Every structure is written in C-alpha cells, then in structure tokens.
C-alpha cells in the first residue's frame, strides 16, 4: 500500500481509481465557476456550507456530505460559510485533461 504525498501525485499507481486529489479551503462568498472535467469528480465536505449545482440540480451542502459529479457534467459552487473540502478525480482516460474545463 503506497502513501502518496500531495506534492508527489505523479506517483499514484496505475491501478488506482483515483488520479488526482487535494484539499480546498474556500472563503464565504467565494464562487467556483461552472465547469466540467474529463473524469468523474468527488467532493467530501469537511467543514462549512455552500450551494452546489451539478447535473442541473441545486443542493445545499455541509459537513459530511459528498458531491458526486459524472465525467462531462457541468457543476459549480457558491460558498456560504468558510469551507474545507477534499476532492478527488476518478480514473482519467488517456489524453484526459486535468483541471476546470469550459464549454
């Protein structure tokens, strides 16, 4: 079982179902623009609150909630209370692009 440090993500083994991950600290009032990814994305809310839109639906989210977004589905976030969230990307197909993509 390898341990991957956040600055060594290129060492994630090829068998892993996680291709990228991180921890975001977001301030109340901050917005994450409407975007999509070339893989599934998952958020786990550690603390704080917000309003996310994914697959055209809007949800209030808070501590312990998990947001699951399918590859190609646009999503966004409005932070209503200072938030810490862990995110990770699922399997990235060959030639998949990392980061926020826009239509």
């Amino acid at each position: 079982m390898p341990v991957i440090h956040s600055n060594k993500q290129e060492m994630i083994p090829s068998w892993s179902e996680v291709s990228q991950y991180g921890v975001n600290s977001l301030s109340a009032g901050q917005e994450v623009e409407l975007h999509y990814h070339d893989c599934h994305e998952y958020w786990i809310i550690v603390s704080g609150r917000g309003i996310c839109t994914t697959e055209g639906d809007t949800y209030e989210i808070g501590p312990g909630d998990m947001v699951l977004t399918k590859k190609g589905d646009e999503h966004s976030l409005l932070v209503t209370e200072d938030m810490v969230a862990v995110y990770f990307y699922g399997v990235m197909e060959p030639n998949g692009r990392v980061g926020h993509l826009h239509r």
Side-chain angles (χ1 to χ4, degrees):
M1 171 177 71
V3 172
I4 307 299
H5 297 280
S6 61
N7 61 346
K8 301 283 187 189
Q9 291 191 36
E10 68 276 3
M11 296 178 67
I12 293 174
S14 60
W15 54 260
S16 176
E17 294 175 357
V18 173
S19 61
Q20 293 276 320
Y21 69 93
V23 178
N24 282 336
S25 295
L26 304 160
S27 300
Q30 191 171 346
E31 293 187 48
V32 177
E33 84 286 359
L34 190 65
H35 65 281
Y36 69 97
H37 301 281
D38 279 350
C39 60
H40 304 318
E41 183 185 36
Y42 308 88
W43 306 345
I44 298 173
I45 309 308
V46 176
S47 63
R49 299 197 172 278
I51 300 169
C52 75
T53 300
T54 183
E55 300 178 33
D57 294 319
T58 300
Y59 304 90
E60 290 186 22
I61 57 174
D65 291 344
M66 183 174 184
V67 179
L68 298 87
T69 304
K70 292 185 296 189
K71 171 185 169 184
D73 281 349
E74 291 183 306
H75 54 285
S76 63
L77 173 66
L78 171 61
V79 180
T80 57
E81 178 185 300
D82 289 357
M83 179 184 286
V84 174
V86 174
Y87 72 89
F88 55 99
Y89 288 178
V91 174
M92 183 74 69
E93 295 179 12
N95 301 315
R97 300 163 290 175
V98 174
H100 292 193
L101 305 173
H102 303 93
R103 300 214 191 283

